[in-house]
Amino acid sequence: MQYSEGRGILITKDGDAATLTMSGISISKGLPPRSSVRGATIFNTQAPKLARLNSVVCVFEGEVSEDSSYTIKDWEWK
């Protein structure tokens, strides 16, 4: 098991932006990088159109394949 953190930015077609911080754990599923990932994401924005994101936490799960491709599903934690 491995703990990880990441940061990112999302930008809408209109140019509004929000930053995001992700934390989670990875569980090996064989040879690296094959793994399952579980964690949470929080957002921060100054954009009025995206202001709701400042009160949203998402939980996610993902799968990483041998070729480093991945799929992630997110859910808003209410």
Side-chain angles (χ1 to χ4, degrees):
M1 188 175 338
Q2 178 180 340
Y3 173 78
S4 344
E5 292 183 355
R7 296 183 189 273
I9 187 166
L10 64 90
I11 302 173
T12 68
K13 291 179 184 179
D14 296 331
D16 293 313
T19 59
L20 55 101
T21 304
M22 299 169 36
S23 334
I25 58 168
S26 299
I27 300 167
S28 177
K29 295 289 185 170
L31 294 175
R34 190 166 181 228
S35 59
S36 290
V37 184
R38 307 290 185 265
T41 304
I42 59 169
F43 302 89
N44 186 23
T45 184
Q46 299 297 315
K49 290 181 184 177
L50 302 177
R52 182 179 171 282
L53 290 177
N54 290 325
S55 61
V56 170
V57 174
C58 286
V59 292
F60 67 85
E61 64 180 16
E63 299 297 323
V64 182
S65 299
E66 294 85 4
D67 64 359
S68 295
S69 62
Y70 60 90
T71 58
I72 294 181
K73 295 178 185 177
D74 291 281
W75 295 270
E76 181 179 352
W77 188 359
K78 294 185 176 188

